[in-house]
Amino acid sequence: MLKLDLSKLSAFLPEDYLTSRQAGLEKAAAMLANHDGPGGDFTGWVYLPRDYDKAEFARIQAAAEKIKKQSQVLVVIGIGGSYLGARAVVELIASPNYNLKKKDTPDIYFAGNGLSTDTLQELIEIIGDRDFSVNVISKSGTTTEPAVAFRIFKGMLEQKYGKEGARERIYATTDKARGALKGLADGEGYEEFVVPDDVGGRYSVLTAVGLLPIACAGIDIQALMAGAAQAMDELGQGGLDNPAWQYAAARNALYEGGKKMELLACYEPAFRFFAEWWKQLYGESEGKDGKGLFPASVEYNADLHSMGQYIQEGERLMFETVVSFAPKGEFTIPHDPANVDGLNFLAGKPLAYVAEKAMRGVILAHVDGGVPNVLIQMPAIGAKSVGYLIYFFEYVCGLSGYLLGVNPFNQPGVEAYKKNMFALLGKPGYEDMKAALEARL
Ligand code: PA5
């Protein structure tokens, strides 16, 4: 399913970069398989494509059907790991233009991932008087951004449909036993889905967190899981010919060799939010203890005309990972009798042929400019291939974190801003901190 091409790294890496990491990779793979490495309590994602809750999965499919019947719009409320995976998959498979398409599934809007008054107001206007449902996703239920948005949309639903009607339109994805949203959902009688205890937010796209919104977009979640399961089976075999081992070793060797940034590049604009998901996955997993590659992304060809200059000739701090998908259809470049643009030498050629040559040309140029390139080749974008890719990146991330010597499954740094925000907002219990921070403003 996935072809990893590391041939453009040879000039940048020692020959033994893989073999010298074999012991580390074996240890990392064993820790993931046995859940006994740092953060092992959060490695439930490793066997999730096989061990997922089948009864809940059927309820997710049923809820998606119900939402489709009862609503023209679904508002998905969540932030970070409770948001990015669903949006990534919906945009990549169903298109960033999904809401503009003619379809028999609801428009999907994502809310609660910021505190912008303008954005919230605009969304309320866009929904207008259409029927809508809400999927609120929060493990804790106390994350400020989604909690504020949920207050607002819950109020709107209750005003529009009454308390009973609202109950039929609110779907809560949260902890199975604890937390503010769990208590509220139990009390109000909302249909509930579970964020498993052993799966952290950034690894949760293949749980109800991602699957319910993804199913609502009409995407085949069975095929998504099947793709992930194939990756789980293949990558779990280990060995030096395993692409996950090879990629993790290469990333680690490039980092140790002085590259401080990984640039994820794709020629599909629909990939944009997948890259956002990937950035959280790698940024939160590796960026700690003063270490870690900085994950960044570019959208080609557009960014070749904006970021291209820096990538080619700026500070030599990055390597590039290019994800390439086979095209789904075919376009042929037309002949133009006037040939004003001089492009008739391409007439009759498929657009995909031009795109392929562009990609190959960019890779060679960037390698010549001192930017090592990794190429990941995938079949056409679809539920199965995307499921495979999700698991591939998750698995490589786990291996990479352990090779780097960090706990890839915690995120202590995310708390700092939250504490400051609560203190400045006057949350009870933060009084001393509030005074100290205000003195610094
Ligand atoms: O990866 C993570 O753990 C975070 O991004 C969380 O998912 C995010 O902070 C949202 O938390 P919660 O689901 O508790 O609202």
Side-chain angles (χ1 to χ4, degrees):
M1 175 90 74
L2 177 149
K3 212 173 133 230
L4 182 72
D5 180 354
L6 300 177
S7 61
K8 300 295 178 291
L9 295 183
S10 44
F12 302 94
L13 289 179
E15 245 175 57
D16 68 344
Y17 81 90
L18 183 57
T19 47
S20 64
R21 285 171 176 76
Q22 181 168 0
L25 285 161
E26 278 165 5
K27 195 169 164 212
M31 288 193 289
L32 291 177
N34 300 323
H35 314 289
D36 60 0
D41 289 350
F42 290 95
T43 50
W45 57 271
V46 174
Y47 296 119
L48 189 68
R50 181 191 70 199
D51 296 344
Y52 65 92
D53 180 339
K54 312 293 181 303
E56 184 185 62
F57 191 84
R59 277 201 307 117
I60 290 170
Q61 290 173 311
E65 282 306 307
K66 184 174 163 199
I67 291 168
K68 189 171 140 182
K69 287 198 187 89
Q70 72 185 166
S71 292
Q72 296 155 283
V73 176
L74 172 68
V75 179
V76 180
I77 297 175
I79 194 167
S82 294
Y83 150 65
L84 285 164
R87 186 159 183 184
V89 175
V90 170
E91 294 211 359
L92 182 55
I93 300 178
S95 166
N97 299 317
Y98 166 79
N99 285 343
L100 301 174
K101 286 179 156 179
K102 245 182 141 173
K103 58 193 178 296
D104 61 0
T105 49
D107 283 357
I108 297 178
Y109 290 98
F110 293 91
N113 50 66
L115 292 168
S116 160
T117 305
D118 293 3
T119 302
L120 185 65
Q121 250 164 5
E122 185 188 59
L123 176 54
I124 292 169
E125 273 168 36
I126 288 171
I127 296 170
D129 58 6
R130 291 187 288 169
D131 284 317
F132 73 101
S133 296
V134 166
N135 179 201
V136 55
I137 307 167
S138 179
K139 173 107 174 139
S140 60
T142 51
T143 309
T144 311
E145 296 87 342
V148 167
F150 184 52
R151 277 189 180 212
I152 291 161
F153 285 101
K154 175 175 175 282
M156 283 170 58
L157 282 172
E158 288 177 351
Q159 199 174 20
K160 188 170 166 117
Y161 302 104
K163 244 183 158 3
E164 275 297 314
R167 176 175 305 140
E168 286 300 308
R169 290 167 180 278
I170 295 175
Y171 301 82
T173 307
T174 188
D175 191 272
K176 74 170 187 304
R178 293 177 301 273
L181 181 56
K182 171 66 186 163
L184 179 67
D186 282 353
E188 298 279 352
Y190 302 148
E191 172 147 25
E192 292 177 36
F193 297 96
V194 173
V195 187
D197 281 342
D198 56 358
V199 180
R202 58 189 174 274
Y203 281 86
S204 69
V205 57
L206 299 176
T207 72
V209 170
L211 293 177
L212 180 56
I214 291 167
C216 286
I219 293 165
D220 182 352
I221 55 173
Q222 198 93 52
L224 191 74
M225 295 305 280
Q230 187 182 334
M232 180 191 81
D233 288 341
E234 290 176 9
L235 305 177
Q237 309 273 323
L240 294 184
D241 56 353
N242 179 320
W245 283 36
Q246 292 174 352
Y247 181 35
R251 294 179 80 255
N252 186 259
L254 287 163
Y255 178 69
E256 286 187 0
K259 299 298 180 191
K260 298 298 172 206
M261 183 190 288
E262 181 174 11
L263 200 52
L264 189 71
C266 186
Y267 288 77
E268 299 297 334
F271 194 79
R272 179 179 288 179
F273 259 87
F274 197 92
E276 294 302 318
W277 167 81
W278 176 91
K279 284 193 261 188
Q280 186 199 2
L281 181 64
Y282 280 80
E284 273 191 355
S285 299
E286 294 188 303
K288 55 198 67 163
D289 307 340
K291 299 195 249 189
L293 283 159
F294 183 84
S297 63
V298 282
E299 182 190 313
Y300 291 158
N301 294 16
D303 283 340
L304 291 170
H305 296 257
S306 58
M307 297 301 290
Q309 172 59 37
Y310 189 104
I311 298 165
Q312 193 65 45
E313 294 182 348
E315 181 102 31
R316 303 295 73 192
L317 47 66
M318 67 185 76
F319 71 94
E320 198 171 17
T321 297
V322 180
V323 180
S324 160
F325 294 96
K328 285 190 211 135
E330 198 175 297
F331 263 112
T332 305
I333 312 264
H335 182 267
D336 179 356
N339 197 24
V340 180
D341 53 16
L343 289 180
N344 270 351
F345 73 102
L346 295 176
K349 297 248 177 354
L351 185 58
Y353 165 85
V354 180
E356 160 79 12
K357 297 295 174 212
M359 181 183 82
R360 296 286 171 187
V362 171
I363 289 174
L364 292 178
H366 287 180
V367 168
D368 290 345
V371 179
N373 257 250
V374 174
L375 177 60
I376 295 172
Q377 287 177 291
M378 295 295 296
I381 295 168
K384 197 157 181 207
S385 60
V386 171
Y388 193 104
L389 191 61
I390 286 170
Y391 192 90
F392 174 77
F393 278 131
E394 288 181 348
Y395 194 69
V396 170
C397 189
L399 292 176
S400 295
Y402 283 150
L403 279 185
L404 188 63
V406 299
N407 173 352
F409 305 112
N410 65 2
Q411 55 285 327
V414 180
E415 291 309 309
Y417 103 89
K418 287 189 196 166
K419 284 188 196 142
N420 284 0
M421 180 174 71
F422 287 146
L424 290 171
L425 286 168
K427 187 172 179 172
Y430 288 79
E431 292 77 7
D432 289 352
M433 213 176 148
K434 179 175 164 62
L437 286 176
E438 279 178 347
R440 289 172 53 205
L441 285 178

